[in-house]
Amino acid sequence: MATSVKEVEAAVADVLPSNLEIARHTPRRPIGEIAAAMGLDQDYVEPYGHDVAKIDLTAMHALADRPRGKYVVVSAITPTPLGEGKTTTSIGLAQGFHHIARSAAVALRQPSMGPTLGIKGGAAGGGYSQVIPMERINLHLTGDIHAVSSAHNLLSAMIDNHLHHRRGVDLDPQQISWKRTMDINDRALRNIVTGLGSSADGFTRQSSFEITAASEVMAILALAHSLSDLRARLGRIVVGYTRSHQPVTAEDIGAAGAMTALLKDALKPNLLQTLEHTPALMHAGPFGNIAHGNSSIVADRIALRTSDYLITEAGFGADMGAERFFNIKCRASGMVPDAAVLVATVRGLKFHSGRFRVVPGRPLPEEMTAENPDDVYAGADNLRKQIDNIRAHGIAPVVAINVFPTDYASEHEAIRDVAEQAGARVALCTHVRDGGAGAAELAEAVAAAAEEPNRFEYLYPDDMHLDDKIKRIATRIYGAGGVEFSAEARRQIDSYQYQGYGDLPVCIAKTHLSLSADAGKQGAPTGWVLPVREVRLSAGAGFVYALCGEMRTMPGLGTDPAAAHIDIDENEQIVGLF
Amino acid sequence: MATSVKEVEAAVADVLPSNLEIARHTPRRPIGEIAAAMGLDQDYVEPYGHDVAKIDLTAMHALADRPRGKYVVVSAITPTPLGEGKTTTSIGLAQGFHHIARSAAVALRQPSMGPTLGIKGGAAGGGYSQVIPMERINLHLTGDIHAVSSAHNLLSAMIDNHLHHRRGVDLDPQQISWKRTMDINDRALRNIVTGLGSSADGFTRQSSFEITAASEVMAILALAHSLSDLRARLGRIVVGYTRSHQPVTAEDIGAAGAMTALLKDALKPNLLQTLEHTPALMHAGPFGNIAHGNSSIVADRIALRTSDYLITEAGFGADMGAERFFNIKCRASGMVPDAAVLVATVRGLKFHSGRFRVVPGRPLPEEMTAENPDDVYAGADNLRKQIDNIRAHGIAPVVAINVFPTDYASEHEAIRDVAEQAGARVALCTHVRDGGAGAAELAEAVAAAAEEPNRFEYLYPDDMHLDDKIKRIATRIYGAGGVEFSAEARRQIDSYQYQGYGDLPVCIAKTHLSLSADAGKQGAPTGWVLPVREVRLSAGAGFVYALCGEMRTMPGLGTDPAAAHIDIDENEQIVGLF
């Protein structure tokens, strides 16, 4: 039995070819045609190869007078370790709108390359709901992630250069929080000592690499709404403290201008196409735990003026990605969402019954694929809670039942029943098997939801105290009974408040596999306490993040990494990447 | 007084605008027009933005029946620390051919980004002999250097992963020679300890980062003649040894296929244009000391079939870049050069008189700019020797006198006199001030030289013993009296011979500021002994390199790095980069 969401989805029908076969056998349109269909003048379109383009940011001004499309975020129930198909649903839905005679674009995060080389499988959708070309998406695309790494590591080098030459601000070597970064899964770089050798070889200190998706620069790229805003955010990055505990910024180090120059092209969103030749923007890829896990604001700003609907995916379940979409991304952009999709699956709700154990890389338990709507009902609290989490922001939720070949109609009915009881719209989706046609029903439902009166509101105001913001998210969204701050977390919150960072929104880094902070707890646990171990500052990105449990920011490679199976064949085509 | 070659050249006439002003005020042609003028079908041209394109490698086959142009390498006398203008001369000459009704392309190395952020000044030529757009050239261009970093670091991560999981070959942790890489000047990464932390955080060992230009992967990118050749070379990289001293390759680690996939687009040469809209290929940038310092074979292969002349620059003086061009690059490609240009300057030859001290960042000594042809004659041995070094390979040399505003006609005459006495053609060049028109005389001279009967020969045969190859280069090209091998170097040579690497050519890493191994010795020193401290293997690139003195492969930033002055202005233009 197939074990990853992509494999399972690709097997929706026995006759379904592999993702790669489908993608390679779909003729691509020149990317200029895709842009032209969006009404983008070719002056704003910079081709990067035949199939990918960057959109110049001046397009934002040129498009400002166009009518604004509806803004739709795609989220999900709390996923199983295999994922529930948010990306395919986002792509399928965007394709689906074209089947009901509306135009739609999809905006996604760019996948990190490191993990692609670690765990088999790309991140470009699946079946007949894919973005192409997948080779470009899963490898360098237009180099944005590399530009982020360069900007990040330039700052790192300038910090150590500062210590080496003993100039300028009195940066305390023991209070430097800025690390180095690389888009490769390399566990040996998690804990390192740098600056060994002679006195000409730098200042000796302990340091670390994190994967580029975890870099604050990546979060900044996603949240900047213009080049000058990018410049300002980069300048605000706090890299450490002076001996007298004053924040030292990238501006103080003199790096922010050059970092902006390095990111000038990276800030332009990447335009690709779906298998049905609808526009797909893939831009920025911040982590979904220590960062907000949403694609870029500039991509959304541009795409919203080119289509009737913009579908944007938010990472993980609605408690994580959607909450940050509302409270971090929309707060930063000032943009107002019109509807939210919650992807739900039969296997996901069965998982939330707590009756099964799902392990990545292993087959699903056999009992899980037997017809059993009761198991679905038993896990339905998670869906109810995530519907409620969308409603908490005044937005109308639409439940998308992502159909798997192992499902039964009675089980779909169970999901529909729960969702309708909770007052949500519902639609069955077979977009993996059928492409956009399989998401036309969903598109209709989303269109109806987006017409409801907009009551969008943030979960908390800017001026709420940081610890109250954390409590608000924990209790209102996660269903926690309370929050327990470590002594260090308390001290950090106090100091951020004192330093003037109290107005920032918060991002809570907890497991994405449970509404609670314990990955082992399915459903919608209540009465538990969120343990906040540490609170950190992303002053440039513009949020404070609370660490609840261990968050690994540099993955490792497995015993048999995907990279060992990637090669080129005799036709010079890449094999083994997907 | 201006102190860098670019500043001096830009000041050739008082009225000459800055490089940046000239570049920004020259209208660019769409890159597709440049390609079309080369006779490249648009199917082979992948635009990367409006001004840059990659050329698909299938163009090599499509062009195979076209007549082959003349292959011209541009080298120089032993340079002062300020450089003598090889890049401007290469660009000017290519532009110059169009002024005598011949077509010509120029092929250059892509500049490393790290140093651009460290020391002010780009690497796209100067005055009216530039390649544009300089912002792209000096920052990411099309991402090739980042792809090299990714491929390199994937191999690094897979090596440490191998140690961590204790699988496969018996790699000895103490005999790993493969480092990590980054295109940033970061001295703190020269000597590091990786794999600290818990047992889940990898194997603890001492390691290092080098700048990406120093990566063997970069040398491989430059020397591969097809994607399958790239694949084979990557597989042959020796990363270390087993406990029983058997070489362990990237193939053994299982990384070569994925590295190739990561480099698939990077192997396509980048097409840009000169200020006069002639084609400029900028591709691969291997170091000029521990690697061969020449741009890519694939760029040359393609460009040679599209133009009457291909001008390619080889790093440093003729003893370094040109020698490796002949014996490493041409040996790898099987291509035969037709002529060689030696750039000479008045100040360069005065420097070789040994009467002056030239320090980068400080003004030239005042006495050096007074009219004094005797000083030029006093340094002429260096020019004679470098002419001889070209002749040693059976190629006709053309001396290009790169005119500076501080020169006198009598001094130019002195250079002309020396060069003609040595049987070389000579031409005065004012390409920095006048563009291609200022290199038309040089183009005529090169055209004549290229018509001479071709007597090209390698300096040594493949099957010569490695130590004899080193001796041959040292005595025949550098003018050394002999070579002294350290005990370690002897042991290494013996082991490479034994392991079957004895057929490889050699690259000698010595100072580029003297024909000798002592940067303080000007002119053409004789009777000295080349001290070979260590010999290393680049089995994938396909050469062995001998270290004579300390070769730094990771630069540092200065007290006031260029990056601190780079920014974007209110028009969102990059400032301070040049």
Side-chain angles (χ1 to χ4, degrees):
Chain A
M1 181 173 289
T3 53
S4 88
V5 65
K6 278 168 212 82
E7 288 167 311
V8 170
E9 291 185 331
V12 159
D14 285 346
V15 294
L16 209 62
S18 77
N19 290 347
L20 182 60
E21 282 176 284
I22 294 171
R24 288 232 170 113
H25 288 91
T26 303
R28 298 170 200 167
R29 297 224 179 120
I31 198 66
E33 284 183 24
I34 306 298
M38 296 168 77
L40 273 177
D41 190 283
Q42 69 171 20
D43 287 352
Y44 303 119
V45 180
E46 299 176 8
Y48 275 66
H50 300 299
D51 310 309
V52 180
K54 278 193 167 285
I55 304 175
D56 196 276
L57 295 189
T58 54
M60 287 194 290
H61 311 297
L63 298 168
D65 295 335
R66 296 252 200 105
R68 179 189 165 288
K70 297 289 188 183
Y71 197 20
V72 180
V73 62
V74 174
S75 186
I77 58 168
T78 302
T80 68
L82 311 183
E84 305 317 301
K86 262 194 327 289
T87 305
T88 63
T89 304
S90 301
I91 299 165
L93 173 57
Q95 295 178 150
F97 271 109
H98 291 254
H99 290 260
I100 64 166
R102 307 292 184 88
S103 68
V106 62
L108 301 169
R109 281 187 289 173
Q110 179 185 352
S112 189
M113 196 175 69
T116 301
L117 301 169
I119 302 163
K120 192 172 162 62
Y128 287 95
S129 290
Q130 295 187 52
V131 178
I132 48 176
M134 48 162 48
E135 296 92 332
R136 297 283 302 276
I137 294 166
N138 288 310
L139 296 178
H140 314 284
L141 195 54
T142 57
D144 297 347
I145 296 180
H146 297 314
V148 168
S149 300
S150 295
H152 183 122
N153 291 327
L154 173 64
L155 176 54
S156 313
M158 288 179 80
I159 290 168
D160 270 292
N161 197 51
H162 213 89
L163 296 176
H164 178 72
H165 292 298
R166 295 179 186 78
R167 282 168 68 104
V169 293
D170 173 37
L171 180 62
D172 181 357
Q174 295 202 289
Q175 291 190 72
I176 296 173
S177 50
W178 194 254
K179 303 170 177 178
R180 286 178 177 78
T181 195
M182 187 184 281
D183 190 18
I184 293 285
N185 288 15
D186 191 344
R187 73 167 61 72
L189 295 178
R190 282 178 195 153
N191 300 286
I192 63 174
V193 171
T194 56
L196 296 170
S198 78
S199 65
D201 299 326
F203 191 98
T204 306
R205 63 188 185 91
Q206 194 168 343
S207 187
S208 179
F209 272 77
E210 55 195 3
I211 194 159
T212 310
S215 165
E216 185 178 345
V217 178
M218 182 61 91
I220 290 173
L221 188 75
L223 288 166
H225 46 77
S226 67
L227 191 64
S228 56
D229 182 48
L230 177 75
R231 172 70 182 75
R233 286 173 187 268
L234 292 169
R236 290 198 293 267
I237 291 173
V238 172
V239 302
Y241 293 86
T242 64
R243 275 165 233 270
S244 49
H245 305 288
Q246 295 305 304
V248 176
T249 65
E251 195 69 60
D252 297 330
I253 299 294
M259 292 171 76
T260 310
L262 283 167
L263 291 166
K264 188 168 182 277
D265 287 329
L267 189 60
K268 302 170 184 170
N270 304 299
L271 176 65
L272 295 88
Q273 62 191 289
T274 67
L275 289 175
E276 297 182 11
H277 315 300
T278 64
L281 289 94
M282 208 166 235
H283 194 220
F287 252 29
N289 45 38
I290 63 154
H292 66 301
N294 278 265
S295 58
S296 83
I297 285 176
V298 288
D300 288 3
R301 277 186 71 180
I302 291 172
L304 262 183
R305 300 286 174 175
T306 65
S307 303
D308 298 332
Y309 295 87
L310 171 63
I311 318 303
T312 188
E313 181 189 350
F316 300 149
D319 55 319
M320 309 274 290
E323 184 275 310
R324 287 119 175 222
F325 171 79
F326 296 133
N327 295 299
I328 298 179
K329 184 176 177 182
C330 290
R331 197 185 297 256
S333 70
M335 280 154 49
V336 172
D338 298 288
V341 172
L342 263 177
V343 177
T345 59
V346 167
R347 73 172 186 199
L349 291 184
K350 285 183 174 177
F351 171 71
H352 282 295
S353 71
R355 295 171 181 168
F356 309 101
R357 214 173 110 80
V358 177
V359 181
R362 297 227 199 117
L364 284 177
E366 230 172 272
E367 319 85 78
M368 228 174 139
T369 53
E371 179 170 9
N372 196 340
D374 282 350
D375 285 342
V376 174
Y377 279 112
D381 275 353
N382 187 274
L383 175 59
R384 288 189 196 98
K385 180 64 185 139
Q386 299 288 28
I387 289 172
D388 176 61
N389 287 341
I390 301 292
R391 287 213 181 283
H393 297 88
I395 295 298
V398 179
V399 174
I401 305 172
N402 184 18
V403 173
F404 278 61
T406 47
D407 295 350
Y408 292 88
S410 61
E411 299 170 332
H412 294 150
E413 276 314 302
I415 300 179
R416 184 181 293 273
D417 181 34
V418 171
E420 286 179 348
Q421 290 282 339
R425 288 180 173 78
V426 190
L428 272 182
C429 313
T430 58
H431 51 274
V432 171
R433 187 185 63 204
D434 302 323
E441 182 192 335
L442 177 62
E444 296 279 12
V446 169
E451 292 307 320
E452 286 191 17
N454 196 311
R455 298 194 176 86
F456 175 61
E457 58 181 352
Y458 304 131
L459 192 69
Y460 50 82
D462 288 352
D463 62 4
M464 184 183 272
H465 195 282
L466 288 170
D467 68 4
D468 288 329
K469 287 173 182 163
I470 294 170
K471 285 179 201 157
R472 173 72 61 94
I473 296 171
T475 55
R476 178 67 188 85
I477 302 295
Y478 302 163
V483 178
E484 188 176 283
F485 294 94
S486 73
E488 189 180 3
R490 286 236 167 265
R491 191 188 59 72
Q492 289 161 327
I493 287 177
D494 288 348
S495 106
Y496 298 145
Q497 287 284 154
Y498 176 77
Q499 290 160 11
Y501 298 112
D503 279 353
L504 296 178
V506 296
C507 176
I508 298 182
K510 68 162 183 69
T511 177
H512 63 284
L513 296 171
S514 172
L515 273 161
S516 78
D518 176 351
K521 288 202 174 126
Q522 282 87 46
T526 54
W528 54 279
V529 173
L530 182 77
V532 176
R533 181 167 58 81
E534 207 184 323
V535 180
R536 294 194 194 149
L537 175 64
S538 285
F543 55 77
V544 160
Y545 61 98
L547 292 169
C548 307
E550 286 300 325
M551 291 297 138
R552 194 156 262 173
T553 54
M554 174 51 94
L557 294 169
T559 49
D560 184 27
H565 305 278
I566 297 171
D567 213 324
I568 49 158
D569 66 14
E570 63 286 359
N571 300 317
E572 308 206 328
Q573 295 283 310
I574 295 171
V575 293
L577 186 55
F578 316 102
Chain B
M1 179 173 289
T3 53
S4 87
V5 65
K6 275 167 215 86
E7 287 167 312
V8 171
E9 290 185 331
V12 160
D14 284 345
V15 294
L16 209 62
S18 77
N19 289 347
L20 183 59
E21 282 176 284
I22 294 172
R24 288 232 169 113
H25 288 90
T26 303
R28 298 172 200 165
R29 298 222 178 119
I31 198 65
E33 283 183 25
I34 307 295
M38 295 168 78
L40 274 177
D41 191 284
Q42 68 170 23
D43 287 351
Y44 303 119
V45 180
E46 299 176 9
Y48 275 66
H50 300 300
D51 311 310
V52 180
K54 278 193 167 284
I55 304 175
D56 197 275
L57 294 189
T58 53
M60 288 195 289
H61 311 297
L63 298 168
D65 295 335
R66 297 253 200 105
R68 178 188 165 289
K70 296 289 186 182
Y71 196 22
V72 180
V73 62
V74 174
S75 185
I77 59 169
T78 302
T80 69
L82 312 182
E84 305 317 300
K86 262 195 328 288
T87 305
T88 64
T89 305
S90 301
I91 298 165
L93 174 58
Q95 295 180 148
F97 270 108
H98 291 252
H99 290 260
I100 62 166
R102 307 292 183 87
S103 67
V106 62
L108 302 170
R109 280 187 289 173
Q110 179 185 354
S112 189
M113 197 176 68
T116 301
L117 301 169
I119 302 164
K120 192 172 162 61
Y128 288 95
S129 290
Q130 295 186 52
V131 178
I132 49 175
M134 48 163 47
E135 297 92 334
R136 296 283 303 275
I137 293 167
N138 288 308
L139 295 178
H140 314 285
L141 196 55
T142 57
D144 297 346
I145 297 180
H146 297 315
V148 169
S149 300
S150 295
H152 182 122
N153 290 328
L154 172 65
L155 176 54
S156 312
M158 289 178 81
I159 290 168
D160 270 292
N161 197 51
H162 213 89
L163 295 176
H164 178 71
H165 291 297
R166 294 180 186 78
R167 281 167 68 106
V169 292
D170 173 38
L171 180 61
D172 181 357
Q174 297 204 289
Q175 291 190 72
I176 295 173
S177 51
W178 194 253
K179 303 170 177 177
R180 286 177 177 79
T181 195
M182 187 183 281
D183 190 19
I184 294 285
N185 287 16
D186 193 344
R187 74 166 62 71
L189 295 179
R190 283 179 194 151
N191 300 286
I192 63 174
V193 171
T194 56
L196 296 169
S198 78
S199 65
D201 299 326
F203 191 97
T204 306
R205 63 189 185 91
Q206 194 167 344
S207 186
S208 179
F209 272 77
E210 54 195 3
I211 195 159
T212 311
S215 164
E216 185 178 345
V217 178
M218 182 59 91
I220 290 173
L221 188 74
L223 288 166
H225 46 76
S226 67
L227 191 64
S228 56
D229 183 47
L230 177 75
R231 172 69 182 78
R233 285 172 186 269
L234 291 169
R236 291 198 292 267
I237 291 172
V238 172
V239 302
Y241 294 85
T242 63
R243 276 167 230 269
S244 48
H245 305 287
Q246 296 304 304
V248 176
T249 65
E251 195 69 59
D252 296 331
I253 298 295
M259 293 171 76
T260 309
L262 284 166
L263 292 166
K264 187 167 183 276
D265 288 329
L267 188 61
K268 301 172 184 169
N270 304 298
L271 177 65
L272 298 88
Q273 63 191 289
T274 67
L275 289 174
E276 299 182 9
H277 314 300
T278 64
L281 290 94
M282 209 166 235
H283 194 219
F287 251 30
N289 45 38
I290 64 154
H292 66 300
N294 279 265
S295 58
S296 84
I297 284 175
V298 288
D300 288 3
R301 276 186 72 181
I302 291 171
L304 261 182
R305 300 286 175 176
T306 65
S307 302
D308 297 332
Y309 295 87
L310 171 64
I311 319 301
T312 188
E313 181 190 350
F316 301 149
D319 55 318
M320 309 274 291
E323 185 274 312
R324 287 120 174 223
F325 171 79
F326 296 133
N327 294 300
I328 297 178
K329 184 175 176 182
C330 289
R331 198 185 297 256
S333 71
M335 280 155 47
V336 172
D338 297 289
V341 172
L342 263 177
V343 178
T345 60
V346 167
R347 74 171 186 198
L349 292 183
K350 285 183 175 178
F351 171 70
H352 282 295
S353 70
R355 296 171 181 167
F356 308 101
R357 216 172 109 79
V358 177
V359 181
R362 295 226 201 120
L364 284 179
E366 230 173 88
E367 319 85 78
M368 231 174 135
T369 52
E371 178 169 8
N372 197 340
D374 281 352
D375 285 343
V376 174
Y377 279 112
D381 275 354
N382 187 273
L383 175 58
R384 288 189 196 98
K385 180 63 186 139
Q386 298 288 27
I387 289 173
D388 176 60
N389 286 342
I390 301 292
R391 286 213 182 285
H393 298 88
I395 295 297
V398 179
V399 174
I401 305 173
N402 184 18
V403 172
F404 278 60
T406 47
D407 296 351
Y408 292 88
S410 61
E411 298 170 333
H412 294 150
E413 274 316 301
I415 300 179
R416 185 181 292 275
D417 181 36
V418 171
E420 285 179 347
Q421 289 282 339
R425 288 180 173 79
V426 190
L428 273 183
C429 312
T430 59
H431 51 274
V432 171
R433 186 184 65 204
D434 303 323
E441 183 192 335
L442 177 61
E444 295 280 12
V446 169
E451 291 307 319
E452 285 191 16
N454 196 311
R455 297 195 178 85
F456 175 62
E457 56 182 352
Y458 303 131
L459 192 70
Y460 50 81
D462 289 352
D463 62 4
M464 186 184 270
H465 194 282
L466 289 170
D467 68 2
D468 288 330
K469 288 173 181 162
I470 294 170
K471 285 179 199 157
R472 174 71 62 93
I473 296 170
T475 56
R476 178 68 189 85
I477 302 296
Y478 302 162
V483 178
E484 189 176 283
F485 294 93
S486 73
E488 189 180 2
R490 285 237 167 267
R491 191 189 57 71
Q492 289 161 327
I493 288 177
D494 289 348
S495 106
Y496 299 145
Q497 288 285 153
Y498 175 78
Q499 290 160 10
Y501 298 112
D503 279 354
L504 296 178
V506 296
C507 176
I508 299 182
K510 69 164 182 68
T511 177
H512 63 284
L513 297 170
S514 173
L515 272 160
S516 78
D518 177 351
K521 287 201 174 131
Q522 282 87 48
T526 54
W528 54 280
V529 173
L530 181 78
V532 175
R533 180 169 58 81
E534 208 184 322
V535 180
R536 294 193 195 148
L537 175 66
S538 284
F543 56 78
V544 160
Y545 62 98
L547 292 169
C548 308
E550 285 300 325
M551 290 298 137
R552 192 155 263 173
T553 54
M554 173 52 92
L557 293 170
T559 49
D560 184 27
H565 304 279
I566 297 171
D567 213 323
I568 50 158
D569 66 14
E570 63 285 1
N571 300 317
E572 308 206 329
Q573 295 284 309
I574 295 172
V575 293
L577 186 55
F578 317 100

